[in-house]
Amino acid sequence: MSDTSIVLRIIPVSYLSALGVRRPHRMIERHVMAYRRQWLIVVSGFFEPLFYLLSMRAGVGDLVGDVSVAGRAVPYDAFVAPALMASSAMNGAIFDSTGNVLHRLKYARIYDAALATPMGPADVALGEISWALIRGQIYAIGFLAVMAAMGLTESWWCLMALPVCALIGLTFASIGFLGTTYMRGWSDMEIVNTLMMPLFLFSATFFPISSYGDWAWVVQLSPLYHGVALVRACNAGVWTASLVVHALVLLVISVVMLAWASRRIDRLLRR
Amino acid sequence: MPEPLIVARGLKKRFDEFEAVKGIDVEVQPGEVFGFLGPNGAGKSSTMRMIACVSPASEGTLRLFGMDPAVDGAKIRARIGVVPQLDTLDTELSVQENLWIYGRYFDLSRAECRRRATELLEFAQLTDRADSVVEHLSGGMKRRLSIARSLINEPELLLLDEPTTGLDPQARHVLWERLYRLKQQGVTQVLTTHYMDEAEQLCDRLVVMDQGLIVAEGSPRELIDRYSTREVLELRFGAGTNDQFGPQVAGIGDRFEVLPDRVLVYADDGEAALAEAHHRGLRPESALVRRSSLEDVFLLLTGRSLAD
Ligand SMILES: Nc1ncnc2c1ncn2[C@@H]1O[C@H](COP(=O)(O)OP(=O)(O)O)[C@@H](O)[C@H]1O
Ligand SMILES: [Mg+2]
């Protein structure tokens, strides 16, 4: 029996292939090839959240002092760091799944070329989202390392923030990818930028949810809020039942968006 | 007769309300070079995209290698090569990387991709441009790279949508020669073109397409014999006066056509037709006798010239 037939016997693989997913990794291979020459662009994505973190420590942290979270006093930079980590997972995923995907979809026509081969629309959709995830994970690992070096991590539980960031990445990459299939052109990227800013600022990123008062329910509509809550819990190593809800919200959004995006890309590319 | 590679019956393509392909029947035999000849908007690309299994048929049946694209699209695509009308080369990759990644889409091993890419670069005369960025290639080079890329999986069937449109004459001849070589190697080819000389040069058999329908089918020679006379007399009267003098050639030869810039007289003996025109006192600015071409077939069948 050949290697492939053994692999194909494993149930998840055959389940995926029933959905038309066989070669999502080829899309990733293509991007690795393309980015070999542009590795600086990849590396640069790491610095923006890092600069935020440094500015929090140097300036804002001194002014604000400690923040009370679940009855504990936490230094401001340790409060904000997990939120920045979650935000950078969101930013990376959105960045990859909107602008880059739009370029490949409408202008570079990378997918048209791929779909003339045995690759299918589901391979393209899953490949792109996986790529966004991988890139996001690289940033998350870097970010966590810096947090640890600055003494902002509280226990080994902080490592759990990595899979959580992958989940946040999955959620936003799926949303971004779906949104991109509806874009008419570059001008629609403005909408993305306009939506990202309030998400970043009002997801209990810089203030605890209690400080939003009567408006706390609005914050809860933001997927990023749920991501921030999860990363914060990982870093603190404080586990509560509400975390399951946060994770489920992200998971459900991801699955729905992913299925929808896969159908959209099929309709768009196989006209 | 061997099993046909492609069989289409009542094939239709609709885009919302608009019907781009209105029910066509086509059979392509293995080893054949088959052409779709027709003006812009005839539905050639829509047909090619259905055959390439990248666009689902709206109605009718389509079989390639005996398989249904709606069921076995990926399996069929694994056995064909596609050169789309507009190049879809990966502009972020180098020339040879384009070939490598394409081979990977077909699940070839990296070593095999490299081996085939080297051969294909030779075939496409691009060896010295292997590391160039695609953006910097000329139109002819891009087209050759597109063709090279479509061959990476050693396809049994090659689909070429307007392979030479926009190329200068020299680049076209280079491409024609490459396609002829592939034919000799036994690769079945289906191509579209709106150049009648290309269709005559390359195709064993072709269909003339107009407004989503097939209006004639046969080898280039058969079509010319069936629909046109042996020769054509072209008369050019002064600008704007072709309309006025045209009708005066009625009765010379089998029939005539008045175009904006010239009058065509269809006759088996062009010289005799010219003598008759002079005899009637017609004094065109220039006169030319030539053999009939597919252009004439098209004009007769549709009442329009291919160039429109
Ligand atoms: N994706 C599409 N959506 C809507 N109309 C289309 C689409 N593709 C082609 N058409 C229309 O279908 C007709 C046939 O187009 P096409 O198949 O490209 O013809 P050809 O290749 O012979 O020039 C044209 O009128 C064109 O505008
Ligand atoms: Mg076309």
Side-chain angles (χ1 to χ4, degrees):
Chain A
M1 199 185 288
S2 72
D3 287 356
T4 43
S5 65
I6 293 170
V7 173
L8 287 176
R9 278 164 157 258
I10 300 170
I11 294 159
V13 174
S14 59
Y15 178 68
L16 280 177
S17 75
L19 293 173
V21 180
R22 287 192 182 83
R23 305 171 177 79
H25 50 294
R26 300 281 182 240
M27 215 64 245
I28 297 168
E29 206 176 322
R30 185 259 158 211
H31 297 335
V32 170
M33 216 181 243
Y35 279 100
R36 264 202 300 240
R37 266 186 297 273
Q38 311 169 38
W39 56 270
L40 254 178
I41 295 180
V42 178
V43 172
S44 67
F46 168 69
F47 286 100
E48 192 186 313
L50 185 63
F51 291 151
Y52 265 105
L53 191 57
L54 291 174
S55 77
M56 288 303 150
R57 156 150 289 187
V60 186
D62 290 344
L63 294 174
V64 178
D66 288 0
V67 182
S68 159
V69 181
R72 299 182 319 135
V74 179
Y76 190 67
D77 50 6
F79 171 77
V80 170
L84 287 176
M85 187 176 180
S87 306
S88 82
M90 169 182 85
N91 281 325
I94 289 284
F95 182 75
D96 250 318
S97 65
T98 55
N100 287 347
V101 166
L102 184 68
H103 171 68
R104 293 175 199 137
L105 178 69
K106 285 228 157 71
Y107 304 96
R109 305 221 148 252
I110 305 289
Y111 309 142
D112 288 280
L115 291 182
T117 74
M119 299 268 288
D123 292 320
V124 169
L126 199 64
E128 284 300 23
I129 287 163
S130 310
W131 168 250
L133 281 188
I134 291 171
R135 215 168 140 175
Q137 276 295 286
I138 296 173
Y139 298 150
I141 291 168
F143 194 89
L144 198 59
V146 173
M147 269 174 71
M150 289 169 67
L152 296 174
T153 51
E154 297 183 36
S155 74
W156 284 105
W157 284 116
C158 72
L159 286 177
M160 283 298 288
L162 293 177
V164 164
C165 280
L167 180 60
I168 297 170
L170 180 67
T171 308
F172 283 99
S174 316
I175 296 173
F177 194 85
L178 177 66
T180 305
T181 63
Y182 287 99
M183 285 188 198
R184 291 147 298 180
W186 283 117
S187 54
D188 288 345
M189 279 299 293
E190 287 303 316
I191 302 174
V192 176
N193 297 334
T194 312
L195 289 175
M196 295 280 286
M197 205 55 188
L199 268 188
F200 176 52
L201 291 176
F202 303 116
S203 294
T205 341
F206 296 100
F207 328 98
I209 181 111
S210 53
S211 61
Y212 291 85
D214 287 347
W215 293 99
W217 65 273
V218 179
V219 174
Q220 299 201 11
L221 292 179
S222 155
L224 180 61
Y225 160 70
H226 300 281
V228 168
L230 283 167
V231 179
R232 235 169 229 154
C234 293
N235 193 40
V238 177
W239 306 104
T240 59
S242 64
L243 295 180
V244 178
V245 177
H246 291 310
L248 272 178
V249 168
L250 295 184
L251 206 61
V252 169
I253 296 177
S254 303
V255 170
V256 172
M257 294 291 151
L258 209 57
W260 186 353
S262 208
R263 277 189 43 189
R264 271 291 297 173
I265 200 83
D266 189 84
R267 290 252 327 258
L268 268 187
L269 291 175
R270 294 169 29 87
R271 279 185 58 98
Chain B
M1 208 85 153
E3 189 79 346
L5 254 182
I6 305 174
V7 182
R9 294 269 176 271
L11 193 62
K12 290 187 185 178
K13 182 72 203 184
R14 266 189 299 273
F15 298 106
D16 304 317
E17 298 296 288
F18 178 72
E19 208 165 58
V21 180
K22 297 175 177 152
I24 59 170
D25 296 335
V26 174
E27 275 190 17
V28 178
Q29 305 297 333
E32 199 173 29
V33 176
F34 184 90
F36 288 94
L37 178 67
N40 281 332
K44 304 182 299 293
S45 295
S46 304
T47 305
M48 290 294 264
R49 287 170 46 78
M50 286 191 279
I51 296 176
C53 307
V54 293
S55 163
S58 307
E59 223 175 282
T61 58
L62 177 63
R63 295 289 178 272
L64 285 101
F65 312 104
M67 292 185 278
D68 180 353
V71 182
D72 289 315
K75 271 190 203 152
I76 298 171
R77 291 196 300 271
R79 294 168 66 176
I80 65 182
V82 179
V83 180
Q85 180 168 352
L86 299 175
D87 289 317
T88 56
L89 296 168
D90 198 323
T91 50
E92 286 167 32
L93 301 180
S94 72
V95 168
Q96 62 181 350
E97 283 171 340
N98 260 276
L99 297 175
W100 292 343
I101 194 63
Y102 220 63
R104 297 293 286 160
Y105 291 160
F106 284 94
D107 295 333
L108 302 177
S109 72
R110 287 200 179 79
E112 187 63 17
C113 288
R114 276 166 197 271
R115 192 186 67 73
R116 291 190 192 180
T118 308
E119 263 177 40
L120 287 169
L121 286 175
E122 198 70 40
F123 172 84
Q125 298 174 312
L126 288 169
T127 304
D128 54 338
R129 304 301 297 262
D131 292 315
S132 301
V133 182
V134 166
E135 272 176 313
H136 299 156
L137 299 183
S138 70
M141 288 176 178
K142 281 186 187 157
R143 220 54 193 143
R144 292 207 301 272
L145 179 58
S146 279
I147 294 178
R149 191 181 69 169
S150 73
L151 295 171
I152 195 89
N153 58 328
E154 298 181 344
E156 296 156 67
L157 168 66
L158 186 59
L159 305 175
L160 303 132
D161 197 353
E162 309 217 1
T164 67
T165 296
L167 300 189
D168 59 57
Q170 205 212 326
R172 288 177 79 198
H173 283 281
V174 172
L175 263 178
W176 286 355
E177 191 269 334
R178 299 287 122 155
L179 294 179
Y180 187 70
R181 272 208 232 173
L182 289 171
K183 176 182 159 67
Q184 286 179 316
Q185 290 166 20
V187 178
T188 310
Q189 295 173 41
V190 175
L191 59 92
T192 75
T193 181
H194 59 253
Y195 298 123
M196 51 109 191
D197 54 338
E198 183 159 275
E200 280 187 42
Q201 280 272 333
L202 297 176
C203 298
D204 298 319
R205 207 158 56 83
L206 57 92
V207 290
V208 179
M209 236 182 137
D210 187 37
Q211 298 182 0
L213 287 169
I214 288 175
V215 290
E217 181 189 338
S219 70
R221 194 71 256 154
E222 277 166 15
L223 287 171
I224 293 166
D225 289 348
R226 194 180 324 148
Y227 293 102
S228 193
T229 51
R230 207 172 65 84
E231 292 185 337
V232 184
L233 169 64
E234 292 198 3
L235 300 174
R236 284 171 202 268
F237 297 96
T241 62
N242 288 296
D243 278 0
Q244 175 194 334
F245 290 105
Q248 297 181 29
V249 303
I252 308 180
D254 292 8
R255 56 188 188 86
F256 69 96
E257 288 282 348
V258 180
L259 301 181
D261 62 334
R262 68 211 138 121
V263 176
L264 304 178
V265 179
Y266 290 92
D268 284 327
D269 185 343
E271 291 298 338
L274 180 56
E276 173 63 20
H278 282 147
H279 182 73
R280 290 190 183 183
L282 288 167
R283 293 289 173 267
E285 284 178 357
S286 72
L288 161 82
V289 174
R290 60 167 176 81
R291 291 169 60 102
S292 269
S293 72
L294 286 172
E295 181 87 49
D296 301 302
V297 172
F298 190 82
L299 192 61
L300 171 85
L301 288 169
T302 67
R304 285 176 296 114
S305 82
L306 265 173
D308 294 352

